[in-house]
Amino acid sequence: MRFGLDYAAGRPDASAIRAAGFDFVVRYLSAGGPSLPGKLLTPAEADDLRAHDISIVSNWETTAARMLDGFGAGVTDARAALAQALRCGGRADRPIYFSADFDATPQQQGAINAYLDGAATVLGRANVGIYGGYWPISRALDAGVATWAWQTVAWSGGNLEPRRSILQTGRQVIVDGVECDVNETDRIDFGQWDVEREETDLTPEQDEILRDIQTQLRGPGLTGWPQLGDDTQGHHRTVVDGLAAALAQIDELRTEISELEATNAELANEVARLSGHHWPFPFSLIEGPATLVAEQLAKLEQLLPDLPLPGWGDGPNGHSPKAGQTGQVTGPNDRIAASDSPIG
C-alpha cells in the first residue's frame, strides 16, 4: 500500500511530505485563484517533488460541476491540462483525472460522460480518468468513457469501487503548515508520471499490427462495433461481447428446441394412443368379451362352406348332382338303376 496527499491551499515542501510518510501526490493542473494559492502545480514544485522521489499524479478541476458543461468543455480542459502537465515535466502517455466534485445524479451522468468523451479526443481514451464519489465513477467505468478512477469516500455511501486506482480516504493532515487530504492505493500503476515500464522490442510494423488487433477486438476508437449490436446500456458490443451474446442466444435456442422435442414426443404418444381401437367408457367394459365373440364368429364363418345343410343333399356344399348330367339316377339305397325309359 502506498500513501499520498492532495492539497490546494499551499505547497508543502517535498522534504516535509517525505518526512510525514507520504510518497506520492495528486496535483492540480489548474489555478485556484486567491482563495487557493497552492492549487496549481508549478515546474519548480514538480522538480522538488521528483528530487525527493515523490510520484506525481495529474488532476484537472476548475469548478466542482464543470463536467456538466459536456463535450466541448472536455476538449478545452484536456488541452489546457495536457499543456500544463508537459510544462511541468509530465508525460503525454500518462492519465489525467477530471473532477466531478459533487454528488452527481444518474440524470447528470450523460453530461459527465460527454465531457469525458471530449477529453478523450485530446488525450486518448486510455489516458482519461475521473474523480468523484462511488456512483459517478462506477457509471463512467461501466460506460467505458473513463479508464482510471480516483474515488473519494464522500458521496459514496460506504461503497468502494473495486476498479478504483486511488482512494481519497476522507482523513486530513497538516504537512508543512498546509492542510492536505490523505489518499491511498494498492496499485503498482495508479497514473503516476514516474511509473516504470518495461521496454519492448517491437518494431513499428509489429506495434501497428498490435494496434490493429486491438481495434478489431474493441472496435473503432475502442468503443465497440455497431455491426454487433448494443448491450443493455446502449453501448456497441466488442467482439468478445458479441460472441458472449451469441452464445447466450444459442443456449436459449437449445432450451427452446428441447422443449419443442418434448412436446413433439408427447404429441406422438397421444397420436399413437388415439390410433388404437379402444372403446370409450362404459363400452370399454365389454371390449374384451366382444372381441372373443367376434373371433369365434370369424372361425364359424370359415367352416360354413364345408358343412352339409338340411335339404341340400350330400354334396360338399349340400347339393346333389343334377339328373341327366351322368345318365344315371340313384336308387333308394344309393344304388344305380337303369332308367325305365329307353334311351334315344
Side-chain angles (χ1 to χ4, degrees):
M1 185 73 72
R2 295 182 64 174
F3 299 92
L5 303 173
D6 69 272
Y7 44 87
R11 297 184 180 89
D13 189 80
S15 60
I17 294 174
R18 261 294 180 185
F22 302 98
D23 66 359
F24 76 88
V25 294
V26 184
R27 294 296 290 124
Y28 297 96
L29 302 173
S30 55
S35 62
L36 296 173
K39 185 176 181 181
L40 179 66
L41 174 68
T42 66
E45 179 192 0
D47 289 341
D48 185 34
L49 292 168
R50 279 190 292 260
H52 289 84
D53 293 325
I54 296 175
S55 299
I56 301 171
V57 179
S58 300
N59 174 268
W60 177 272
E61 179 182 352
T62 51
T63 59
R66 167 64 169 170
M67 296 181 76
L68 296 181
D69 291 336
F71 186 91
V75 174
T76 299
D77 292 353
R79 288 173 178 167
L82 179 59
Q84 183 64 16
L86 296 177
R87 191 176 297 118
C88 295
R91 292 159 46 180
D93 64 341
R94 301 307 293 147
I96 297 175
Y97 294 90
F98 296 89
S99 293
D101 204 0
F102 64 103
D103 191 9
T105 66
Q107 292 74 24
Q108 294 170 319
Q109 193 69 39
I112 292 172
N113 290 355
Y115 179 98
L116 295 172
D117 281 336
T121 65
V122 178
L123 305 177
R125 185 71 66 191
N127 296 323
V128 174
I130 181 174
Y131 164 89
Y134 171 80
W135 286 280
I137 69 170
S138 296
R139 291 190 291 260
L141 292 173
D142 289 342
V145 294
T147 304
W148 305 79
W150 175 18
Q151 181 182 355
T152 176
V153 295
W155 315 301
S156 289
N159 297 290
L160 289 179
E161 168 56 65
R163 295 169 290 179
R164 70 187 184 278
S165 300
I166 308 171
L167 176 66
Q168 190 181 64
T169 65
R171 186 166 68 93
Q172 293 184 325
V173 295
I174 303 296
V175 177
D176 198 18
V178 179
E179 186 177 70
C180 306
D181 292 316
V182 175
N183 298 268
E184 64 182 34
T185 181
D186 58 359
R187 307 301 171 89
I188 295 175
D189 185 357
F190 48 94
Q192 70 271 36
W193 293 359
D194 60 349
V195 67
E196 295 182 2
R197 290 183 171 179
E198 295 182 2
E199 295 294 331
T200 63
D201 297 326
L202 295 178
T203 65
E205 292 78 11
Q206 291 172 327
D207 184 65
E208 183 65 25
I209 291 173
L210 289 177
R211 290 179 182 274
D212 182 63
I213 292 173
Q214 185 182 41
T215 299
Q216 292 296 324
L217 288 173
R218 299 191 61 83
L222 307 184
T223 58
W225 288 98
Q227 299 93 323
L228 297 179
D230 296 341
D231 59 21
T232 55
Q233 297 179 341
H235 302 295
H236 299 324
R237 292 191 180 102
T238 65
V239 171
V240 174
D241 294 337
L243 179 60
L247 290 174
Q249 290 179 353
I250 289 172
D251 287 339
E252 292 176 2
L253 288 173
R254 283 176 174 166
T255 300
E256 292 178 2
I257 290 172
S258 297
E259 292 174 353
L260 287 174
E261 288 177 341
T263 301
N264 185 59
E266 292 176 1
L267 290 173
N269 291 335
E270 184 66 12
V271 169
R273 185 184 69 81
L274 294 175
S275 297
H277 299 289
H278 299 286
W279 293 11
F281 183 84
F283 301 107
S284 60
L285 298 175
I286 62 171
E287 181 178 1
T291 301
L292 180 61
V293 170
E295 291 175 353
Q296 296 302 320
L297 286 175
K299 291 180 179 180
L300 183 59
E301 288 176 353
Q302 292 176 357
L303 295 174
L304 282 177
D306 297 327
L307 292 176
L309 299 178
W312 288 86
D314 301 327
N317 295 317
H319 296 78
S320 297
K322 293 182 180 179
Q325 289 181 339
T326 60
Q328 297 176 335
V329 293
T330 56
N333 297 316
D334 291 339
R335 292 191 301 270
I336 298 174
S339 175
D340 294 334
S341 303
I343 297 175

